[in-house]
Coordinates of all heavy atoms in Angstrom, one line a residue:
E234 N -36.4 -112.4 313.7 CA -36.4 -113.5 314.7 C -37.5 -113.3 315.7 O -37.9 -114.3 316.3 CB -35.0 -113.5 315.4 CG -33.8 -113.9 314.5 CD -33.2 -112.7 313.8 OE1 -33.9 -111.6 313.8 OE2 -32.1 -112.8 313.3
L235 N -37.9 -112.1 316.0 CA -38.9 -111.9 317.0 C -40.2 -112.4 316.6 O -41.2 -112.6 317.4 CB -39.1 -110.4 317.3 CG -37.9 -109.7 318.1 CD1 -38.2 -108.2 318.2 CD2 -37.9 -110.3 319.5
K241 N -45.6 -117.8 319.6 CA -45.8 -118.4 320.8 C -46.8 -117.9 321.7 O -47.1 -118.2 322.8 CB -44.5 -118.4 321.6 CG -43.3 -119.2 321.0 CD -42.1 -119.4 321.9 CE -41.5 -118.0 322.3 NZ -40.2 -118.1 323.1
L262 N -33.7 -103.9 326.7 CA -33.4 -104.8 325.6 C -33.6 -106.2 326.0 O -34.1 -107.0 325.2 CB -31.9 -104.5 325.2 CG -31.6 -103.3 324.3 CD1 -30.2 -103.0 324.2 CD2 -32.2 -103.5 322.8
A263 N -33.1 -106.6 327.2 CA -33.3 -108.0 327.6 C -34.7 -108.4 327.8 O -35.2 -109.5 327.3 CB -32.5 -108.2 329.0
F265 N -37.2 -107.1 326.1 CA -37.7 -107.1 324.7 C -37.4 -108.5 324.0 O -38.2 -109.0 323.2 CB -37.2 -106.0 323.9 CG -37.8 -105.7 322.5 CD1 -39.1 -105.9 322.3 CD2 -36.9 -105.3 321.5 CE1 -39.7 -105.7 321.0 CE2 -37.5 -105.2 320.2 CZ -38.8 -105.3 320.0
F266 N -36.2 -109.0 324.3 CA -35.6 -110.1 323.6 C -35.9 -111.4 324.4 O -35.4 -112.5 323.9 CB -34.2 -110.0 323.3 CG -33.8 -108.9 322.2 CD1 -32.7 -108.1 322.3 CD2 -34.7 -108.7 321.1 CE1 -32.4 -107.1 321.4 CE2 -34.4 -107.7 320.2 CZ -33.3 -107.0 320.3
H267 N -36.4 -111.4 325.6 CA -36.3 -112.5 326.5 C -37.1 -113.7 325.9 O -36.9 -114.9 326.3 CB -36.6 -112.1 327.9 CG -38.1 -112.2 328.3 ND1 -39.0 -111.2 328.0 CD2 -38.8 -113.1 329.0 CE1 -40.2 -111.5 328.5 NE2 -40.1 -112.7 329.1
C268 N -38.0 -113.5 325.0 CA -38.8 -114.7 324.4 C -38.4 -114.9 323.0 O -39.1 -115.6 322.3 CB -40.3 -114.4 324.5 SG -40.9 -114.3 326.2
A269 N -37.2 -114.4 322.6 CA -37.0 -114.4 321.1 C -36.7 -115.7 320.4 O -36.8 -115.9 319.2 CB -35.8 -113.5 320.9
G270 N -36.4 -116.8 321.3 CA -36.1 -118.1 320.7 C -37.1 -119.1 321.2 O -38.2 -118.8 321.6
E271 N -36.6 -120.4 321.2 CA -37.4 -121.4 321.9 C -37.3 -121.2 323.4 O -36.3 -120.7 323.9 CB -36.8 -122.8 321.6 CG -37.0 -123.3 320.1 CD -38.4 -123.4 319.7 OE1 -39.3 -123.5 320.6 OE2 -38.7 -123.3 318.5
G272 N -38.4 -121.5 324.1 CA -38.3 -121.3 325.6 C -38.6 -120.0 326.0 O -39.0 -119.0 325.2
H273 N -38.4 -119.7 327.3 CA -38.7 -118.4 327.9 C -37.4 -118.0 328.7 O -37.2 -118.4 329.8 CB -39.9 -118.6 328.9 CG -40.4 -117.4 329.5 ND1 -41.4 -117.4 330.4 CD2 -40.1 -116.1 329.3 CE1 -41.7 -116.1 330.8 NE2 -40.9 -115.4 330.1
G274 N -36.6 -117.2 327.9 CA -35.2 -117.0 328.4 C -34.5 -118.3 328.2 O -35.0 -119.3 327.6
G275 N -33.2 -118.3 328.6 CA -32.4 -119.5 328.4 C -31.4 -119.3 327.2 O -31.4 -118.3 326.5
V276 N -30.6 -120.3 327.1 CA -29.5 -120.2 326.1 C -29.9 -120.0 324.7 O -29.3 -119.3 323.9 CB -28.4 -121.3 326.2 CG1 -27.5 -121.3 327.4 CG2 -29.2 -122.7 326.2
E277 N -31.0 -120.7 324.3 CA -31.5 -120.6 322.9 C -31.9 -119.2 322.6 O -31.6 -118.6 321.6 CB -32.6 -121.6 322.7 CG -32.5 -122.3 321.4 CD -33.4 -121.6 320.3 OE1 -34.0 -120.6 320.6 OE2 -33.4 -122.2 319.2
C278 N -32.7 -118.6 323.5 CA -33.1 -117.2 323.4 C -31.9 -116.2 323.4 O -31.9 -115.3 322.6 CB -34.1 -116.7 324.4 SG -35.7 -117.6 324.4
A279 N -30.9 -116.6 324.2 CA -29.7 -115.8 324.4 C -29.0 -115.8 323.1 O -28.4 -114.7 322.6 CB -28.8 -116.2 325.5
S280 N -28.9 -116.9 322.4 CA -28.2 -116.9 321.1 C -28.9 -116.2 320.0 O -28.3 -115.5 319.2 CB -27.8 -118.4 320.8 OG -28.5 -118.8 319.7
V281 N -30.2 -116.2 320.0 CA -31.0 -115.4 319.0 C -30.8 -114.0 319.3 O -30.5 -113.2 318.4 CB -32.5 -115.7 319.1 CG1 -33.3 -114.8 318.2 CG2 -32.8 -117.2 318.8
C282 N -30.8 -113.6 320.6 CA -30.5 -112.3 321.0 C -29.1 -111.7 320.5 O -29.0 -110.6 320.1 CB -30.7 -112.2 322.5 SG -30.1 -110.8 323.3
N283 N -28.2 -112.6 320.6 CA -26.8 -112.3 320.2 C -26.7 -112.0 318.7 O -26.1 -111.0 318.3 CB -25.9 -113.5 320.6 CG -24.5 -113.2 320.4 OD1 -24.0 -112.1 320.6 ND2 -23.7 -114.2 320.0
V284 N -27.4 -112.9 317.9 CA -27.4 -112.6 316.5 C -28.0 -111.3 316.1 O -27.5 -110.5 315.3 CB -28.2 -113.8 315.8 CG1 -28.3 -113.5 314.3 CG2 -27.5 -115.2 316.0
L285 N -29.2 -111.1 316.8 CA -29.9 -109.9 316.6 C -29.1 -108.6 316.8 O -29.1 -107.6 316.1 CB -31.2 -109.9 317.5 CG -32.4 -110.2 316.8 CD1 -33.5 -110.6 317.8 CD2 -32.9 -108.9 316.1
M286 N -28.5 -108.6 318.1 CA -27.8 -107.4 318.5 C -26.5 -107.2 317.6 O -26.1 -106.1 317.4 CB -27.5 -107.5 320.0 CG -28.8 -107.2 320.7 SD -28.6 -107.1 322.5 CE -27.7 -105.5 322.7
R287 N -25.9 -108.3 317.2 CA -24.8 -108.2 316.3 C -25.2 -107.5 315.0 O -24.6 -106.6 314.4 CB -24.2 -109.5 315.9 CG -23.0 -109.9 316.6 CD -22.4 -111.2 316.0 NE -21.7 -111.9 317.0 CZ -20.5 -111.6 317.5 NH1 -19.8 -110.6 316.9 NH2 -19.9 -112.3 318.4
A295 N -22.8 -103.9 325.6 CA -24.3 -104.1 325.7 C -24.8 -105.5 325.2 O -25.5 -106.1 325.9 CB -25.0 -103.0 324.8
R296 N -24.2 -105.9 324.1 CA -24.6 -107.2 323.5 C -24.3 -108.3 324.6 O -25.1 -109.2 324.9 CB -23.9 -107.5 322.2 CG -24.2 -108.8 321.6 CD -23.6 -108.9 320.1 NE -22.2 -108.6 320.1 CZ -21.3 -109.5 320.4 NH1 -21.6 -110.7 320.8 NH2 -20.0 -109.2 320.3
K297 N -23.1 -108.3 325.1 CA -22.7 -109.4 326.1 C -23.6 -109.3 327.3 O -24.0 -110.3 327.9 CB -21.2 -109.3 326.5 CG -20.4 -109.6 325.3 CD -18.9 -109.9 325.7 CE -18.2 -110.4 324.5 NZ -16.9 -109.7 324.3
C298 N -23.9 -108.1 327.9 CA -24.6 -108.0 329.1 C -26.0 -108.5 328.9 O -26.6 -109.3 329.6 CB -24.7 -106.5 329.5 SG -25.8 -106.2 330.8
V299 N -26.7 -108.1 327.7 CA -28.1 -108.5 327.4 C -28.1 -110.0 327.2 O -29.0 -110.7 327.7 CB -28.6 -107.7 326.2 CG1 -29.9 -108.3 325.8 CG2 -28.7 -106.2 326.5
Q300 N -27.1 -110.5 326.6 CA -27.0 -112.0 326.3 C -26.9 -112.8 327.6 O -27.7 -113.7 327.8 CB -25.8 -112.3 325.5 CG -25.9 -113.6 324.7 CD -24.5 -114.0 324.1 OE1 -23.6 -113.1 324.0 NE2 -24.5 -115.1 323.6
T301 N -26.1 -112.3 328.5 CA -26.0 -113.0 329.9 C -27.4 -112.9 330.6 O -27.8 -113.9 331.1 CB -25.0 -112.2 330.8 OG1 -23.7 -112.2 330.1 CG2 -24.8 -112.9 332.1
L302 N -28.0 -111.7 330.5 CA -29.3 -111.6 331.2 C -30.4 -112.5 330.6 O -31.0 -113.3 331.4 CB -29.8 -110.2 331.2 CG -29.0 -109.1 331.9 CD1 -29.6 -107.7 331.6 CD2 -29.0 -109.4 333.4
V303 N -30.4 -112.6 329.3 CA -31.4 -113.5 328.7 C -31.1 -115.0 329.0 O -31.9 -115.8 329.2 CB -31.5 -113.2 327.2 CG1 -32.4 -114.3 326.5 CG2 -32.1 -111.8 327.0
A304 N -29.8 -115.3 328.9 CA -29.4 -116.7 329.2 C -29.8 -117.2 330.6 O -30.4 -118.2 330.7 CB -27.8 -116.9 329.0
H305 N -29.5 -116.4 331.6 CA -29.8 -116.8 333.0 C -31.3 -116.6 333.3 O -31.8 -117.1 334.3 CB -28.9 -116.0 334.0 CG -27.5 -116.5 334.0 ND1 -27.2 -117.7 334.6 CD2 -26.4 -116.0 333.4 CE1 -25.9 -117.8 334.4 NE2 -25.4 -116.8 333.6
F306 N -32.0 -115.9 332.5 CA -33.4 -115.7 332.6 C -34.2 -117.0 332.7 O -35.2 -117.0 333.4 CB -33.9 -114.8 331.4 CG -35.1 -114.1 331.7 CD1 -35.1 -112.8 332.3 CD2 -36.4 -114.7 331.5 CE1 -36.3 -112.2 332.5 CE2 -37.5 -114.0 331.8 CZ -37.5 -112.8 332.3
G307 N -33.7 -118.0 332.0 CA -34.4 -119.2 332.0 C -34.4 -119.9 333.3 O -35.3 -120.8 333.6
E308 N -33.5 -119.6 334.2 CA -33.3 -120.3 335.5 C -34.4 -119.9 336.4 O -34.8 -118.7 336.4 CB -32.0 -120.0 336.1 CG -30.9 -120.5 335.3 CD -29.5 -119.9 335.9 OE1 -29.5 -119.5 337.0 OE2 -28.5 -120.0 335.1
L332 N -30.8 -109.1 336.8 CA -31.6 -110.3 336.5 C -32.8 -110.4 337.5 O -34.0 -110.8 337.0 CB -30.7 -111.5 336.8 CG -31.3 -112.8 336.2 CD1 -31.4 -112.8 334.7 CD2 -30.3 -114.0 336.5

Side-chain angles (χ1 to χ4, degrees):
E234 293 86 346
L235 285 177
K241 291 193 298 185
L262 280 166
F265 187 42
F266 292 144
H267 87 281
C268 293
E271 290 301 338
H273 189 179
V276 285
E277 222 265 0
C278 290
S280 107
V281 173
C282 164
N283 189 35
V284 171
L285 254 161
M286 287 186 70
R287 257 187 209 285
R296 181 171 54 79
K297 287 192 177 134
C298 172
V299 174
Q300 200 186 352
T301 302
L302 292 175
V303 174
H305 286 283
F306 200 91
E308 295 169 19
L332 193 63

